[in-house]
């Protein structure tokens, strides 16, 4: 009896196999939780909408609208095209806008929208041409530098005034759009200044400048009249005509 009581028989809970089996079940329950979470995350990621392709870069200044539907990215993207193709496209755009300016009476609505698609290449070239013409007619180099700088100052300040006036009249226009329109419409006055420099006859100079002023004002009138309400059309055109009168006066004084 003493020998039996001294024996310490292990119970079922103390058996090593039962402990191992208990630990295995617990470990399996703990490892199932992260697997379920990872599966849930994968399902949630798969259910999210895939973002579409990035919008193609615009190759004109003001044109940012595309037709709804499939977009031909290869046609609109200009990142991988040759430099010569980019230059030729810009030159064609400048040509179309100059043709619109030189034919204000026969221009269609599409031509007016084309001029709204602003760029600054044409105004820059015309301002440089007019500044060099006025500088060439200046008697001294000091006056030549002032005449060249005055062209750019008048164009930028005049564009700011015209834009502010149109916004006050509840019009819809941007500053660079106004610079584009006023700059391209300078083309008749640039031609008049060039012809006056070649002729060097006072009365012919007055005739050329008067024709250029009338042509430039009529070309810009169709654009400005679309930006302001009809009952405030004259208020919108007044600073535009004043701008071209200032340019014409500079050509006469050169």
């Amino acid at each position: 009896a003493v020998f039996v009581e001294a024996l310490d028989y292990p119970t079922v809970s103390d058996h090593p196999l039962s402990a191992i089996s208990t630990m295995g079940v617990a470990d399996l329950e703990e490892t199932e939780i992260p697997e379920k979470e990872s599966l849930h995350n994968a399902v949630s990621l798969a259910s999210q909408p895939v973002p579409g392709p990035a919008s193609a870069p615009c190759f004109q200044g003001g044109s940012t609208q595309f037709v709804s539907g499939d977009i031909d990215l290869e046609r609109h993207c200009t990142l991988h095209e040759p430099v010569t193709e980019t230059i030729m496209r810009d030159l064609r755009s400048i040509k179309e806008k100059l043709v619109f300016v030189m034919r204000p009476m026969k221009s269609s609505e599409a031509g007016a929208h084309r001029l709204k698609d602003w760029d600054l290449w044409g105004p820059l070239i015309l301002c440089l041409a007019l500044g060099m013409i006025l500088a060439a007619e200046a008697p001294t180099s000091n006056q030549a530098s002032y005449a060249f700088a005055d062209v750019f100052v008048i164009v930028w300040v005049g564009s700011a005034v015209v834009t502010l006036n149109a916004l006050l009249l509840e019009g819809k226009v941007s500053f660079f759009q106004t610079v584009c329109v006023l700059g391209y419409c300078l083309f008749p006055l640039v031609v008049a200044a060039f012809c006056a420099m070649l002729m060097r006859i006072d009365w012919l100079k007055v005739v050329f400048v008067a024709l250029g002023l009338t042509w430039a004002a009529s070309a810009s009138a169709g654009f400005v009249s679309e930006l302001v309400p009809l009952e405030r059309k004259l208020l919108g055109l007044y600073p535009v005509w004043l701008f071209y009168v200032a340019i014409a006066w500079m050509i006469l004084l050169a």
Side-chain angles (χ1 to χ4, degrees), residues 8-56:
D8 190 7
Y9 290 98
T11 61
V12 176
S13 61
D14 295 335
H15 199 277
L17 293 178
S18 63
I20 293 175
S21 61
T22 306
M23 292 176 60
V25 173
D27 292 338
L28 289 175
E29 292 177 354
E30 292 177 359
T31 54
E32 285 179 357
I33 297 175
E35 289 179 358
K36 292 181 180 179
E37 292 178 355
S38 61
L39 181 60
H40 181 268
N41 294 333
V43 172
S44 61
L45 289 175
S47 62
Q48 292 180 359
V50 179
S55 59

Side-chain angles (χ1 to χ4, degrees), residues 2-246:
V2 175
F3 177 77
V4 172
E5 290 177 358
L7 291 178
D8 190 7
Y9 290 98
T11 61
V12 176
S13 61
D14 295 335
H15 199 277
L17 293 178
S18 63
I20 293 175
S21 61
T22 306
M23 292 176 60
V25 173
D27 292 338
L28 289 175
E29 292 177 354
E30 292 177 359
T31 54
E32 285 179 357
I33 297 175
E35 289 179 358
K36 292 181 180 179
E37 292 178 355
S38 61
L39 181 60
H40 181 268
N41 294 333
V43 172
S44 61
L45 289 175
S47 62
Q48 292 180 359
V50 179
S55 59
C58 176
F59 55 82
Q60 286 293 341
S63 177
T64 57
Q65 297 180 354
F66 293 101
V67 181
S68 60
D70 295 337
I71 299 175
D72 189 0
L73 296 179
E74 295 182 357
R75 183 171 64 87
H76 290 95
C77 183
T78 61
L79 296 177
H80 304 291
E81 69 177 6
V83 178
T84 56
E85 185 176 350
T86 303
I87 295 175
M88 293 304 299
R89 186 185 62 247
D90 292 336
L91 291 178
R92 287 192 297 267
S93 176
I94 293 173
K95 176 186 175 182
E96 292 175 1
K97 293 173 183 177
L98 289 179
V99 169
F100 169 75
V101 170
M102 294 306 296
R103 296 188 303 175
M105 302 302 176
K106 298 181 180 180
S107 299
S108 59
E109 185 178 356
H113 287 293
R114 181 64 176 166
L115 195 59
K116 290 180 181 180
D117 187 12
W118 61 266
D119 68 87
L120 301 181
W121 287 112
L124 176 61
I125 295 173
L126 294 175
C127 289
L128 286 174
L130 183 59
M132 288 188 291
I133 292 173
L134 297 182
E137 294 182 338
T140 61
S141 60
N142 191 19
Q143 292 183 0
S145 61
Y146 281 123
F148 186 83
D150 287 344
V151 174
F152 287 90
V153 172
I154 290 178
V155 169
W156 286 95
V157 173
S159 300
V161 172
V162 172
T163 304
L164 180 61
N165 180 70
L167 292 177
L168 292 177
L169 295 177
E170 299 180 356
K172 297 180 180 180
V173 65
S174 64
F175 173 73
F176 291 108
Q177 196 174 20
T178 306
V179 173
C180 175
V181 173
L182 297 182
Y184 274 105
C185 292
L186 277 178
F187 184 62
L189 285 173
V190 174
V191 175
F194 181 73
C195 294
M197 183 183 64
L198 295 180
M199 298 298 181
R200 294 189 179 277
I201 301 175
D202 292 339
W203 66 273
L204 278 180
K205 185 176 185 178
V206 174
V207 172
F208 287 148
V209 172
L211 290 176
L213 174 62
T214 305
W215 210 303
S218 61
S220 61
F223 171 78
V224 177
S225 60
E226 295 182 359
L227 302 178
V228 296
L230 184 61
E231 62 275 7
R232 301 177 181 178
K233 180 179 178 180
L234 293 179
L235 293 176
L237 291 176
Y238 172 72
V240 178
W241 291 340
L242 188 62
F243 167 79
Y244 290 114
V245 167

